[in-house]
Each structure stands twice: as structure tokens, then as C-alpha cells.
Amino acid sequence: MKKILYTILIGSSLLGFSQETTTTDALRYAVDNLNGTARFRGMSGAFGAVGGDLSAININPAGSVIFTNNYASISGTNYNKYNKSNYFNTNTKESYGTLDINQLGAVLVFNSNSKENNDWNKIAVALNYEDTNNFDNNIFSAGINPNNSVGNYFINFAQGLPLSNLQFQSGENTSSLYAYLGETGGLGFPAQQAFLGYQGLLFEAFDDNDPNNTDYYTNIPTGGNYYQDNYIQSTGYNGKVAANVATAYKDKIFLGMNLNFHFTDYVRSSSLYESNNNPLYSSGLTVESMQFDNELYTYGTGFSFNLGAIAKVTEDLRLGLAYESPTWYTLNDELTQALYTRTTDGITNFNSTIAPNIINIYPTYKIQTPSKWTGSLAYIINKKGLISIDLITKDYSSTKFRPTRDSFFRSLNNQMSQNLTNTFEYRIGGEYKIKQWSLRGGYRFEESPYKNGFTVGDLTGYSLGIGYSFGNTKLDITYDQANRTDETSLYNVGLTDAAVIDKTNSNVTLSLSFNI
């Protein structure tokens, strides 16, 4: 029985909700990104009162009834991400690029020819797919930490745990340990981290002969100046299919609704390396270097809805108001870990590998993102151009993990309620037509979701685009760029030092649209 208890510790298929879930995981699904057609991105997404674009229905679903005929579009984007990291005054750079089909949709427009009741004279139905977030990215940070070792991460989890939970029993070996991994049960994520650190010789018990020992000391030499580098590679996306219906009243009031079906697939691989040249301990083992690898796979689905209205105040002025509900995600996490260490007793070097190649499958959980309100104004200029302004508000402090009966999620929800805040986002865009050509530009500013303003910083972005109409077919291309600076902690326990990362996303989007 004990043998099973110790072995399932790091490979349980049901480890409880206490994996290292953070506010960052919630914001991955709560923070909006500029996506969609080239025309939409060319005006920085300021489309709440404009309509007539398939991506615009994600802002205000009433916009689909602005179309005058059946219409379809497909868009592809070249994503380019450039990250500059500063970690203890050491600067590093990393970039990544990828190409993806990010939008595909169509709208059907039905005009009423009835003479008896022509007030509600138009209906539009649309179906549109979009990538709402592209997760493909690489981030590299490196520097000399003057104080903290990654060993603090492991030993902090161990303090207070009985030594018996971290040891093999007499006669057990690695193969017998791995044979039981994946059994239902286990002691959870904190104990798993402590087990890895103890078996990797990063720390030891003050009394190795007492199975009830709960106090540990580090084998990593003190004195600071630990070289650390952290490489993070992520892949995946958030996708959304919007089923839309809209109608027009006397061609003055436009009303619409979306039912949105979300899905996500996200993989985050990280590798933290640490080494030091500090003096060896005079007795026992001293850790010279280590590498800690993690791969998190998150997948799941979600649902949300939109309601919107656009009023044509005059032939030149339109006002819009739209509501987007929270998105209710149901998610699953799978985690694999490995620890490699190099230690010495001053005479002999020891290489330790704790890499069970076991997938930890955690219980399904839920995330509720904040709702959003958008107020919009659009002014038509001599039927040749337009200026559009959107004001968006979202309260990130309402973000929640569920089930709330779990004490870890309750604590995390309280942290988000205290640390996150209501934000405003401003978008302004313009378009001007010269014969078959359309010229576009836009600017947007989004406040930080954090009260402190720097854990995730403010976002600023701009866009430039051009389009050409061949009659029933249009070709549009846009360049957009956004900048945001984050402070990213290496871990949430022990090694909580943060790298300051200046993120620049530059994208080129090409859209082909046509009347059908």
C-alpha cells in the first residue's frame, strides 16, 4: 500500500485542482486581441457602428444587416512576434513568425418585398469563424539572479511535508515507481514538486532517519549570483464560430444577436536552467546546475453571446451599442515535468534525471471571462469615407475560476478581485475611397487589466491598410502592430523574480471577399 502511495504521488490521473494555475491563465482567455479581416484590422477594429464586415459582427452583431447583398470573405495573417526581455539587467531577444488562415465566413441577406408590412424589411444571417488569439510565441530570458535560486521553488513546497512522502521505500526502484504512475489518487501538485526536488537532490531532510521529518535544507550553495535562463515556447489558438442573425426596422434601427461557440488548444513548454560557481559545501552534496522542464497542454470549449443595436440618426451619423456576455469555458489541463541535476561531493560528480514521462491529467475546471460593453459612433464623409470611434469597457475583476468550492480557486478568485480592475479601450479608425481604391488607418489604446498597471501594461497599437475593388470581388491588405510590456514571474512560489518583457506583435493580413 505504501508503495502505491509514494509512486502515484507524481503521476496521478486525478491530482486535484492545485496545479500552478495563475491569473495569467485566466487572462489568456479574457484579454481581447485584434483579429479578423484586413478591412477590420485596417481600422483597428473600430467597427461597432459601421457594420458591413464579417469581423464587425463580433463587436456589434447588428452590423450584418448593413450588407446590401450576400457576401463571403476569407483572410490569412502572417503573425510576427518580437520579445525583448530584461532579467536582472541582462537583455535578450527572441522572435517568432507563423502563417494562418484566421477568418472565414459568409452572410445571406433577405429583403422583404411585402407591401403590407415593410417596417421590418430586411433580415441577415451569417456564420463566421475567427481565430480570436494566436498563441504561437517564443520568449527567452537570462540573467544572474543575485539572491534567489530555483531550489527555493522546490523546498518551499517540501517544508511541512513528511519525509515519508518523498522517499522510496526499501526495495523500491525507479521502474517500480513508474509502473504505478497514473493510478487514481495522489497527494497533489505541491507534493509532486517536493518529490521532484528531493529525488533530484536539490534538498535534504535534517533527519533522514525520521519518516515524520518535515524540515529540510538546501543543497544549493548560498551566496547568490545564480545564472538563470528560461525559454518558453507556446503554440495553439483560441477559435470562435459566431452564428448571427440581424434585422432592420425601416432602415433606421438595426438589431442583431450572436451565439458564439469557442474552442481552444494551447501548449506551453518551458525550460529553466540554473548554474552557480559558489564555493562547495565542506560536507555532503552541492548542486552545481539543474534544468527544470514543464509542458502544459490546455484544451476545451466555451460559449458566449452578443446583443447589439445600431441607429442611423441621419444619413451620415450612426450610433451603436453592443453587449458581449462572459465566455464560459470548460477546460482540461495535462502536465508533464522533468528535472535534471548535476551535483558533487567535491570528489565525484553525480547526474540525476527525474523524468518519468508521465502525463498528469487534472480534473476539468471552468473559467468565466468578464462581459463587455461597446459604445460606438460612425460618421460618413460625402459617401466616400468614414470616421469611426469605439469605446469598450470590461471589468477584469469579475473573472472567475470554477468550481468555487475548491479552496485554491476561491483564493485565486479573491486575488483577481483585488488585483484586477475595470478597463477602458479606445479605438479610432478611418477609411477613404478613391475610385476603386480604399485607404484605411486606425489607432487603439487598451488599459492594463491590473490595478498596478505594470504586471500587464497598457497596450497601444496602430494599423494601415489598403483595398481594391474589382467589382464583385475585393482584395484588402493591412499591416497592424501592437506593443505591451509585461512583468512575468518565473514561478509563483520560491523563485518569484520577474522578467520585464517588451512585446511587439506585427501582423500582415490579406483578405479576399466577394458577393455571392
Side-chain angles (χ1 to χ4, degrees), residues 1 5 76 142 162 180 200 222 228 287 295 320 354-355 357 387 391:
M1 181 65 185
L5 176 62
Y180 285 94
T222 58
Q228 296 163 348
V287 177
E295 182 173 284
I354 310 298
N357 196 29
I387 294 176
L391 173 61

Side-chain angles (χ1 to χ4, degrees), residues 77-337:
T77 296
N78 178 238
Y79 298 93
N80 293 280
K81 300 180 180 181
Y82 179 68
N83 302 298
K84 295 191 296 183
S85 177
N86 182 286
Y87 186 62
F88 289 104
N89 299 317
T90 298
N91 296 313
T92 54
K93 301 176 183 179
E94 192 73 22
S95 60
Y96 189 87
T98 186
L99 181 66
D100 193 20
I101 301 297
N102 67 290
Q103 181 273 327
L104 176 65
V107 59
L108 301 178
V109 180
F110 303 93
N111 292 288
S112 174
N113 295 319
S114 172
K115 296 182 180 179
E116 296 179 359
N117 183 6
N118 59 0
D119 289 343
W120 298 94
N121 57 356
K122 193 176 181 182
I123 294 176
V125 293
L127 192 66
N128 187 56
Y129 163 79
E130 284 191 8
D131 282 351
T132 57
N133 202 341
N134 181 286
F135 293 133
D136 295 352
N137 203 3
N138 289 340
I139 298 175
F140 178 71
S141 304
I144 297 177
N145 192 321
N147 301 307
N148 292 324
S149 165
V150 71
N152 295 333
Y153 170 83
F154 295 95
I155 199 169
N156 279 16
F157 282 117
Q159 300 292 7
L161 282 178
L163 177 61
S164 58
N165 289 343
L166 310 182
Q167 289 179 319
F168 293 119
Q169 297 303 291
S170 177
E172 289 184 330
N173 54 40
T174 301
S175 60
S176 66
L177 169 69
Y178 298 160
Y180 285 94
L181 294 177
E183 297 288 338
T184 302
L187 299 181
F189 181 83
Q192 176 176 321
Q193 308 312 289
F195 182 90
L196 289 172
Y198 181 79
Q199 293 298 327
L201 306 178
L202 296 182
F203 61 85
E204 295 184 47
F206 276 100
D207 188 351
D208 271 333
N209 297 316
D210 179 8
N212 296 316
N213 175 91
T214 58
D215 198 11
Y216 303 90
Y217 65 90
T218 182
N219 283 331
I220 298 175
T222 58
N225 294 326
Y226 306 104
Y227 171 79
Q228 296 163 348
D229 64 52
N230 190 40
Y231 184 75
I232 300 173
Q233 182 180 46
S234 60
T235 60
Y237 61 94
N238 280 350
K240 178 173 73 174
V241 174
N244 166 271
V245 62
T247 186
Y249 179 75
K250 292 185 177 181
D251 201 35
K252 296 291 186 181
I253 302 295
F254 311 100
L255 305 174
M257 178 181 71
N258 290 351
L259 299 179
N260 306 310
F261 305 91
H262 304 254
F263 40 92
T264 185
D265 192 272
Y266 172 74
V267 178
R268 181 184 186 273
S269 301
S270 65
S271 182
L272 176 66
Y273 172 81
E274 178 181 294
S275 64
N276 69 88
N277 295 315
N278 296 334
L280 304 181
Y281 288 126
S282 58
S283 62
L285 294 175
T286 301
V287 177
E288 293 183 322
S289 64
M290 57 78 62
Q291 180 177 311
F292 185 35
D293 294 344
N294 288 264
E295 182 173 284
L296 173 68
Y297 175 39
T298 301
Y299 59 95
T301 58
F303 174 78
S304 67
F305 65 88
N306 299 66
L307 301 173
I310 298 174
K312 186 187 291 185
V313 180
T314 69
E315 287 300 314
D316 299 324
L317 179 64
R318 296 176 188 170
L319 300 178
L321 180 66
Y323 169 78
E324 181 177 341
S325 75
T327 300
W328 296 278
Y329 281 102
T330 299
L331 300 175
N332 300 274
D333 284 351
E334 298 180 2
L335 178 68
T336 58
Q337 296 183 300

Side-chain angles (χ1 to χ4, degrees), residues 400-411:
K400 288 183 174 61
F401 283 91
R402 301 181 186 276
T404 54
R405 68 177 182 272
D406 179 73
S407 60
F408 178 78
F409 283 164
R410 283 201 306 272
S411 175

Side-chain angles (χ1 to χ4, degrees), residues 491-510:
Y491 297 104
N492 285 334
V493 175
L495 186 60
T496 58
D497 301 285
V500 178
I501 302 174
D502 184 12
K503 300 178 178 180
T504 300
N505 296 342
S506 302
N507 312 296
V508 176
T509 301
L510 182 69

